[in-house]
mmCIF file of all heavy atoms in Angstrom:
data_model
loop_
_atom_site.group_PDB
_atom_site.id
_atom_site.type_symbol
_atom_site.label_atom_id
_atom_site.label_comp_id
_atom_site.label_asym_id
_atom_site.label_seq_id
_atom_site.Cartn_x
_atom_site.Cartn_y
_atom_site.Cartn_z
ATOM 1 N N GLU I 1 0.813 -1.216 0.000
ATOM 2 C CA GLU I 1 0.000 0.000 0.000
ATOM 3 C C GLU I 1 0.846 1.264 0.000
ATOM 4 O O GLU I 1 0.489 2.270 -0.603
ATOM 5 C CB GLU I 1 -0.938 -0.022 1.210
ATOM 6 C CG GLU I 1 -1.952 1.103 1.217
ATOM 7 C CD GLU I 1 -2.951 0.977 2.344
ATOM 8 O OE1 GLU I 1 -3.325 -0.160 2.694
ATOM 9 O OE2 GLU I 1 -3.361 2.026 2.882
ATOM 10 N N SER I 2 1.989 1.234 0.675
ATOM 11 C CA SER I 2 2.808 2.444 0.824
ATOM 12 C C SER I 2 3.760 2.696 -0.342
ATOM 13 O O SER I 2 4.452 3.711 -0.367
ATOM 14 C CB SER I 2 3.615 2.368 2.127
ATOM 15 O OG SER I 2 4.494 1.245 2.099
ATOM 16 N N ASP I 3 3.806 1.788 -1.314
ATOM 17 C CA ASP I 3 4.708 1.971 -2.459
ATOM 18 C C ASP I 3 4.291 3.162 -3.319
ATOM 19 O O ASP I 3 3.099 3.387 -3.559
ATOM 20 C CB ASP I 3 4.721 0.730 -3.348
ATOM 21 C CG ASP I 3 5.680 -0.340 -2.856
ATOM 22 O OD1 ASP I 3 6.412 -0.085 -1.870
ATOM 23 O OD2 ASP I 3 5.689 -1.444 -3.447
ATOM 24 N N PHE I 4 5.290 3.901 -3.808
ATOM 25 C CA PHE I 4 5.059 4.890 -4.867
ATOM 26 C C PHE I 4 5.352 4.207 -6.197
ATOM 27 O O PHE I 4 6.440 3.682 -6.413
ATOM 28 C CB PHE I 4 5.950 6.114 -4.686
ATOM 29 C CG PHE I 4 6.046 6.976 -5.926
ATOM 30 C CD1 PHE I 4 4.902 7.397 -6.591
ATOM 31 C CD2 PHE I 4 7.280 7.354 -6.448
ATOM 32 C CE1 PHE I 4 4.980 8.174 -7.741
ATOM 33 C CE2 PHE I 4 7.379 8.136 -7.589
ATOM 34 C CZ PHE I 4 6.226 8.544 -8.239
ATOM 35 N N ILE I 5 4.370 4.196 -7.081
ATOM 36 C CA ILE I 5 4.510 3.532 -8.374
ATOM 37 C C ILE I 5 4.474 4.571 -9.491
ATOM 38 O O ILE I 5 3.611 5.461 -9.504
ATOM 39 C CB ILE I 5 3.414 2.471 -8.592
ATOM 40 C CG1 ILE I 5 3.510 1.396 -7.505
ATOM 41 C CG2 ILE I 5 3.547 1.827 -9.977
ATOM 42 C CD1 ILE I 5 2.461 0.298 -7.620
ATOM 43 N N TYR I 6 5.407 4.439 -10.408
ATOM 44 C CA TYR I 6 5.511 5.350 -11.553
ATOM 45 C C TYR I 6 5.169 4.576 -12.824
ATOM 46 O O TYR I 6 5.771 3.541 -13.104
ATOM 47 C CB TYR I 6 6.941 5.906 -11.629
ATOM 48 C CG TYR I 6 7.261 6.714 -12.868
ATOM 49 C CD1 TYR I 6 7.012 8.089 -12.907
ATOM 50 C CD2 TYR I 6 7.830 6.121 -13.984
ATOM 51 C CE1 TYR I 6 7.314 8.837 -14.034
ATOM 52 C CE2 TYR I 6 8.141 6.859 -15.116
ATOM 53 C CZ TYR I 6 7.881 8.212 -15.138
ATOM 54 O OH TYR I 6 8.184 8.943 -16.249
ATOM 55 N N PHE I 7 4.179 5.057 -13.567
ATOM 56 C CA PHE I 7 3.801 4.433 -14.834
ATOM 57 C C PHE I 7 3.927 5.440 -15.963
ATOM 58 O O PHE I 7 3.445 6.579 -15.857
ATOM 59 C CB PHE I 7 2.364 3.916 -14.795
ATOM 60 C CG PHE I 7 1.877 3.413 -16.132
ATOM 61 C CD1 PHE I 7 2.272 2.165 -16.608
ATOM 62 C CD2 PHE I 7 1.046 4.192 -16.931
ATOM 63 C CE1 PHE I 7 1.840 1.699 -17.854
ATOM 64 C CE2 PHE I 7 0.605 3.737 -18.171
ATOM 65 C CZ PHE I 7 1.003 2.486 -18.629
ATOM 66 N N THR I 8 4.568 5.020 -17.043
ATOM 67 C CA THR I 8 4.642 5.874 -18.223
ATOM 68 C C THR I 8 4.410 5.030 -19.463
ATOM 69 O O THR I 8 4.706 3.824 -19.489
ATOM 70 C CB THR I 8 5.991 6.615 -18.307
ATOM 71 O OG1 THR I 8 5.932 7.602 -19.349
ATOM 72 C CG2 THR I 8 7.144 5.665 -18.595
ATOM 73 N N SER I 9 3.869 5.664 -20.486
ATOM 74 C CA SER I 9 3.544 4.945 -21.716
ATOM 75 C C SER I 9 3.816 5.828 -22.912
ATOM 76 O O SER I 9 3.719 7.061 -22.835
ATOM 77 C CB SER I 9 2.067 4.524 -21.714
ATOM 78 O OG SER I 9 1.233 5.666 -21.578
ATOM 79 N N THR I 10 4.150 5.197 -24.021
ATOM 80 C CA THR I 10 4.353 5.953 -25.254
ATOM 81 C C THR I 10 3.201 5.768 -26.220
ATOM 82 O O THR I 10 3.067 6.481 -27.195
ATOM 83 C CB THR I 10 5.675 5.537 -25.937
ATOM 84 O OG1 THR I 10 5.967 6.416 -27.020
ATOM 85 C CG2 THR I 10 5.613 4.101 -26.453
ATOM 86 N N GLY I 11 2.332 4.797 -25.934
ATOM 87 C CA GLY I 11 1.193 4.551 -26.813
ATOM 88 C C GLY I 11 1.557 3.586 -27.929
ATOM 89 O O GLY I 11 2.658 3.641 -28.474
ATOM 90 N N MET I 12 0.626 2.712 -28.258
ATOM 91 C CA MET I 12 0.885 1.695 -29.280
ATOM 92 C C MET I 12 -0.225 1.726 -30.326
ATOM 93 O O MET I 12 -1.418 1.730 -29.989
ATOM 94 C CB MET I 12 0.968 0.301 -28.643
ATOM 95 C CG MET I 12 2.060 0.180 -27.589
ATOM 96 S SD MET I 12 2.191 -1.477 -26.873
ATOM 97 C CE MET I 12 0.713 -1.532 -25.834
ATOM 98 N N GLY I 13 0.171 1.730 -31.594
ATOM 99 C CA GLY I 13 -0.799 1.771 -32.672
ATOM 100 C C GLY I 13 -1.777 0.613 -32.650
ATOM 101 O O GLY I 13 -2.911 0.736 -33.124
ATOM 102 N N ILE I 14 -1.364 -0.517 -32.077
ATOM 103 C CA ILE I 14 -2.267 -1.676 -32.026
ATOM 104 C C ILE I 14 -3.480 -1.396 -31.141
ATOM 105 O O ILE I 14 -4.536 -2.009 -31.317
ATOM 106 C CB ILE I 14 -1.540 -2.958 -31.560
ATOM 107 C CG1 ILE I 14 -0.803 -2.732 -30.237
ATOM 108 C CG2 ILE I 14 -0.588 -3.444 -32.639
ATOM 109 C CD1 ILE I 14 -0.143 -3.992 -29.674
ATOM 110 N N GLN I 15 -3.359 -0.468 -30.210
ATOM 111 C CA GLN I 15 -4.509 -0.084 -29.390
ATOM 112 C C GLN I 15 -5.535 0.662 -30.241
ATOM 113 O O GLN I 15 -6.739 0.377 -30.177
ATOM 114 C CB GLN I 15 -4.047 0.802 -28.228
ATOM 115 C CG GLN I 15 -3.112 0.103 -27.261
ATOM 116 C CD GLN I 15 -2.434 1.078 -26.310
ATOM 117 O OE1 GLN I 15 -2.092 2.196 -26.693
ATOM 118 N NE2 GLN I 15 -2.225 0.658 -25.080
ATOM 119 N N ASP I 16 -5.053 1.591 -31.049
ATOM 120 C CA ASP I 16 -5.942 2.340 -31.936
ATOM 121 C C ASP I 16 -6.639 1.411 -32.925
ATOM 122 O O ASP I 16 -7.831 1.562 -33.198
ATOM 123 C CB ASP I 16 -5.143 3.394 -32.703
ATOM 124 C CG ASP I 16 -4.444 4.371 -31.788
ATOM 125 O OD1 ASP I 16 -5.107 5.293 -31.294
ATOM 126 O OD2 ASP I 16 -3.234 4.212 -31.575
ATOM 127 N N ILE I 17 -5.894 0.445 -33.454
ATOM 128 C CA ILE I 17 -6.453 -0.477 -34.438
ATOM 129 C C ILE I 17 -7.550 -1.330 -33.826
ATOM 130 O O ILE I 17 -8.611 -1.542 -34.429
ATOM 131 C CB ILE I 17 -5.334 -1.355 -35.039
ATOM 132 C CG1 ILE I 17 -4.358 -0.484 -35.844
ATOM 133 C CG2 ILE I 17 -5.907 -2.466 -35.928
ATOM 134 C CD1 ILE I 17 -3.046 -1.166 -36.170
ATOM 135 N N ALA I 18 -7.330 -1.803 -32.602
ATOM 136 C CA ALA I 18 -8.330 -2.641 -31.932
ATOM 137 C C ALA I 18 -9.606 -1.852 -31.659
ATOM 138 O O ALA I 18 -10.719 -2.332 -31.905
ATOM 139 C CB ALA I 18 -7.759 -3.208 -30.639
ATOM 140 N N VAL I 19 -9.459 -0.635 -31.137
ATOM 141 C CA VAL I 19 -10.638 0.191 -30.874
ATOM 142 C C VAL I 19 -11.349 0.528 -32.180
ATOM 143 O O VAL I 19 -12.578 0.448 -32.285
ATOM 144 C CB VAL I 19 -10.244 1.481 -30.121
ATOM 145 C CG1 VAL I 19 -11.455 2.411 -29.967
ATOM 146 C CG2 VAL I 19 -9.663 1.147 -28.750
ATOM 147 N N ALA I 20 -10.571 0.881 -33.215
ATOM 148 C CA ALA I 20 -11.152 1.218 -34.511
ATOM 149 C C ALA I 20 -11.882 0.028 -35.129
ATOM 150 O O ALA I 20 -12.908 0.197 -35.798
ATOM 151 C CB ALA I 20 -10.070 1.725 -35.459
ATOM 152 N N LYS I 21 -11.362 -1.190 -34.904
ATOM 153 C CA LYS I 21 -12.026 -2.387 -35.429
ATOM 154 C C LYS I 21 -13.421 -2.533 -34.815
ATOM 155 O O LYS I 21 -14.386 -2.853 -35.514
ATOM 156 C CB LYS I 21 -11.177 -3.617 -35.109
ATOM 157 C CG LYS I 21 -11.851 -4.984 -35.409
ATOM 158 C CD LYS I 21 -11.984 -5.241 -36.886
ATOM 159 C CE LYS I 21 -12.649 -6.594 -37.188
ATOM 160 N NZ LYS I 21 -11.877 -7.759 -36.730
ATOM 161 N N GLU I 22 -13.552 -2.316 -33.512
ATOM 162 C CA GLU I 22 -14.859 -2.405 -32.864
ATOM 163 C C GLU I 22 -15.800 -1.319 -33.383
ATOM 164 O O GLU I 22 -16.996 -1.564 -33.590
ATOM 165 C CB GLU I 22 -14.701 -2.299 -31.348
ATOM 166 C CG GLU I 22 -13.952 -3.454 -30.713
ATOM 167 C CD GLU I 22 -14.689 -4.771 -30.904
ATOM 168 O OE1 GLU I 22 -15.914 -4.812 -30.696
ATOM 169 O OE2 GLU I 22 -14.038 -5.769 -31.267
ATOM 170 N N ILE I 23 -15.272 -0.125 -33.593
ATOM 171 C CA ILE I 23 -16.068 0.973 -34.158
ATOM 172 C C ILE I 23 -16.545 0.590 -35.562
ATOM 173 O O ILE I 23 -17.717 0.777 -35.927
ATOM 174 C CB ILE I 23 -15.239 2.271 -34.215
ATOM 175 C CG1 ILE I 23 -14.854 2.749 -32.809
ATOM 176 C CG2 ILE I 23 -15.987 3.357 -34.990
ATOM 177 C CD1 ILE I 23 -15.972 3.300 -31.982
ATOM 178 N N TYR I 24 -15.637 0.049 -36.354
ATOM 179 C CA TYR I 24 -15.958 -0.359 -37.730
ATOM 180 C C TYR I 24 -17.049 -1.428 -37.739
ATOM 181 O O TYR I 24 -18.015 -1.336 -38.517
ATOM 182 C CB TYR I 24 -14.682 -0.877 -38.399
ATOM 183 C CG TYR I 24 -14.893 -1.503 -39.762
ATOM 184 C CD1 TYR I 24 -15.083 -0.714 -40.895
ATOM 185 C CD2 TYR I 24 -14.884 -2.892 -39.915
ATOM 186 C CE1 TYR I 24 -15.269 -1.289 -42.151
ATOM 187 C CE2 TYR I 24 -15.062 -3.474 -41.158
ATOM 188 C CZ TYR I 24 -15.257 -2.671 -42.270
ATOM 189 O OH TYR I 24 -15.444 -3.243 -43.509
ATOM 190 N N ASN I 25 -16.921 -2.423 -36.882
ATOM 191 C CA ASN I 25 -17.934 -3.495 -36.821
ATOM 192 C C ASN I 25 -19.313 -2.937 -36.480
ATOM 193 O O ASN I 25 -20.327 -3.331 -37.061
ATOM 194 C CB ASN I 25 -17.529 -4.544 -35.784
ATOM 195 C CG ASN I 25 -16.361 -5.399 -36.229
ATOM 196 O OD1 ASN I 25 -16.001 -5.416 -37.403
ATOM 197 N ND2 ASN I 25 -15.754 -6.100 -35.289
ATOM 198 N N THR I 26 -19.337 -2.000 -35.529
ATOM 199 C CA THR I 26 -20.607 -1.394 -35.131
ATOM 200 C C THR I 26 -21.190 -0.559 -36.263
ATOM 201 O O THR I 26 -22.408 -0.554 -36.487
ATOM 202 C CB THR I 26 -20.420 -0.531 -33.877
ATOM 203 O OG1 THR I 26 -19.864 -1.332 -32.833
ATOM 204 C CG2 THR I 26 -21.736 0.060 -33.408
ATOM 205 N N ALA I 27 -20.314 0.152 -36.985
ATOM 206 C CA ALA I 27 -20.780 0.966 -38.109
ATOM 207 C C ALA I 27 -21.419 0.097 -39.191
ATOM 208 O O ALA I 27 -22.441 0.473 -39.788
ATOM 209 C CB ALA I 27 -19.610 1.766 -38.689
ATOM 210 N N ILE I 28 -20.840 -1.063 -39.440
ATOM 211 C CA ILE I 28 -21.410 -1.988 -40.420
ATOM 212 C C ILE I 28 -22.790 -2.465 -39.949
ATOM 213 O O ILE I 28 -23.755 -2.499 -40.725
ATOM 214 C CB ILE I 28 -20.473 -3.193 -40.638
ATOM 215 C CG1 ILE I 28 -19.141 -2.745 -41.267
ATOM 216 C CG2 ILE I 28 -21.150 -4.250 -41.504
ATOM 217 C CD1 ILE I 28 -19.261 -2.166 -42.653
ATOM 218 N N GLU I 29 -22.881 -2.808 -38.672
ATOM 219 C CA GLU I 29 -24.158 -3.272 -38.118
ATOM 220 C C GLU I 29 -25.234 -2.194 -38.187
ATOM 221 O O GLU I 29 -26.401 -2.482 -38.474
ATOM 222 C CB GLU I 29 -23.968 -3.701 -36.660
ATOM 223 C CG GLU I 29 -23.122 -4.954 -36.475
ATOM 224 C CD GLU I 29 -22.810 -5.206 -35.013
ATOM 225 O OE1 GLU I 29 -23.355 -4.463 -34.151
ATOM 226 O OE2 GLU I 29 -22.033 -6.133 -34.717
ATOM 227 N N LYS I 30 -24.856 -0.947 -37.944
ATOM 228 C CA LYS I 30 -25.824 0.148 -37.909
ATOM 229 C C LYS I 30 -25.973 0.856 -39.252
ATOM 230 O O LYS I 30 -26.745 1.821 -39.368
ATOM 231 C CB LYS I 30 -25.400 1.174 -36.845
ATOM 232 C CG LYS I 30 -25.479 0.654 -35.414
ATOM 233 C CD LYS I 30 -25.193 1.761 -34.418
ATOM 234 C CE LYS I 30 -25.427 1.295 -32.987
ATOM 235 N NZ LYS I 30 -25.232 2.394 -32.009
ATOM 236 N N ASN I 31 -25.228 0.409 -40.250
ATOM 237 C CA ASN I 31 -25.267 1.014 -41.583
ATOM 238 C C ASN I 31 -24.915 2.504 -41.526
ATOM 239 O O ASN I 31 -25.581 3.355 -42.107
ATOM 240 C CB ASN I 31 -26.640 0.822 -42.229
ATOM 241 C CG ASN I 31 -26.618 1.103 -43.728
ATOM 242 O OD1 ASN I 31 -25.592 0.922 -44.396
ATOM 243 N ND2 ASN I 31 -27.734 1.572 -44.262
ATOM 244 N N LEU I 32 -23.831 2.792 -40.800
ATOM 245 C CA LEU I 32 -23.357 4.164 -40.672
ATOM 246 C C LEU I 32 -22.101 4.377 -41.516
ATOM 247 O O LEU I 32 -21.394 3.434 -41.858
ATOM 248 C CB LEU I 32 -23.052 4.481 -39.207
ATOM 249 C CG LEU I 32 -24.260 4.583 -38.274
ATOM 250 C CD1 LEU I 32 -23.794 4.706 -36.829
ATOM 251 C CD2 LEU I 32 -25.145 5.761 -38.649
ATOM 252 N N GLY I 33 -21.820 5.616 -41.827
ATOM 253 C CA GLY I 33 -20.646 5.942 -42.620
ATOM 254 C C GLY I 33 -20.984 6.081 -44.097
ATOM 255 O O GLY I 33 -22.110 5.830 -44.532
ATOM 256 N N VAL I 34 -19.994 6.479 -44.850
ATOM 257 C CA VAL I 34 -20.144 6.658 -46.294
ATOM 258 C C VAL I 34 -19.248 5.647 -47.011
ATOM 259 O O VAL I 34 -18.034 5.604 -46.753
ATOM 260 C CB VAL I 34 -19.751 8.094 -46.723
ATOM 261 C CG1 VAL I 34 -19.852 8.249 -48.237
ATOM 262 C CG2 VAL I 34 -20.631 9.115 -46.008
#
């Protein structure tokens, strides 16, 4: 409990791709987009 923890990240493109894939799937289901 008393530990000080330091977290840092640079970000990974695979995170964006995974989130975008779910958005894309939903758009297909809802017939959204052009």
Side-chain angles (χ1 to χ4, degrees):
E1 187 174 325
S2 61
D3 276 355
F4 164 51
I5 299 180
Y6 172 88
F7 173 77
T8 190
S9 58
T10 189
M12 301 182 287
I14 53 176
Q15 297 167 324
D16 301 281
I17 295 165
V19 174
K21 171 71 180 296
E22 294 297 314
I23 296 289
Y24 172 78
N25 288 345
T26 303
I28 295 296
E29 292 172 6
K30 293 186 173 184
N31 195 29
L32 290 172
V34 177

